């Protein structure tokens, strides 16, 4: 069985993944705010990373996966588990993957922040402005993307 199928099975196992990073010459890891957790005690080869990208691409695009560009991102869903955003790059001929879990349910405005004053302030700005752009900014691109992905429907 290829490593791509093993990674897809791991993602489907309802584990609480946040961000899985897969690169050649290292084991796949789950990156969290607390650090990195090794997911498999196997060092992935170049072919393992390429196989994983091919499996995930076919899951997302079907037969048209061959048309996938050398770098970019795509999303795929696993029934009853969640949605995943897959970012892939090829640098100096070596592929790298980042798989980020995106929640299925979009949270309500009340659950976006523990600071109720911040939520009230955001809602009042939204009520005053009928159109515009919301900029999500912070120290981590992953956190910014996750925040934007989890934005309530009102936004």
């Amino acid at each position: 069985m290829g490593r791509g199928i093993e990674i897809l099975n791991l993602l489907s196992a309802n584990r609480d993944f946040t961000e899985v990073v897969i690169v050649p010459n290292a084991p796949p890891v789950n990156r969290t705010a607390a650090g990195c957790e090794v997911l498999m005690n196997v060092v992935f080869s170049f072919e393992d990373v390429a196989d994983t990208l091919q499996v995930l691409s076919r899951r997302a695009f079907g037969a048209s996966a061959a048309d996938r560009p050398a770098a970019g991102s795509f999303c795929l869903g696993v029934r009853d588990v969640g949605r995943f955003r897959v970012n892939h790059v090829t640098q100096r001929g070596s592929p790298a993957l980042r798989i980020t879990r995106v929640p299925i349910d979009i949270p309500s405005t009340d659950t976006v922040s523990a600071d109720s004053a911040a939520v009230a302030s955001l809602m009042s700005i939204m009520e005053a402005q009928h159109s515009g752009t919301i900029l999500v900014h912070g120290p981590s691109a992953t956190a910014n993307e996750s925040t934007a992905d989890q934005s309530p429907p009102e936004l």
Side-chain angles (χ1 to χ4, degrees), residues 18-114:
T18 53
E19 180 183 3
V20 176
V21 179
I22 304 172
V23 296
N25 302 318
V29 297
N30 182 36
R31 195 171 90 168
T32 65
C36 292
E37 164 197 8
V38 174
L39 296 176
M40 299 168 65
N41 290 324
V42 174
V43 174
F44 269 43
S45 66
F46 170 90
E47 291 79 14
D48 292 333
V49 178
D51 176 62
T52 301
L53 178 57
Q54 182 180 21
V55 167
L56 296 175
S57 295
R58 287 196 182 277
R59 175 73 186 234
F61 299 113
S64 64
D67 298 332
R68 176 189 41 76
S73 55
F74 59 89
C75 294
L76 66 109
V78 177
R79 185 179 300 235
D80 299 326
V81 175
R83 297 179 297 147
F84 301 92
R85 182 177 50 253
V86 179
N87 301 95
H88 60 98
V89 297
T90 301
Q91 186 172 13
R92 291 184 228 147
S94 182
L97 302 174
R98 180 180 78 171
I99 306 165
T100 308
R101 180 183 292 276
V102 180
I104 293 175
D105 299 322
I106 298 174
S108 68
T109 309
D110 300 335
T111 62
V112 171
S113 173

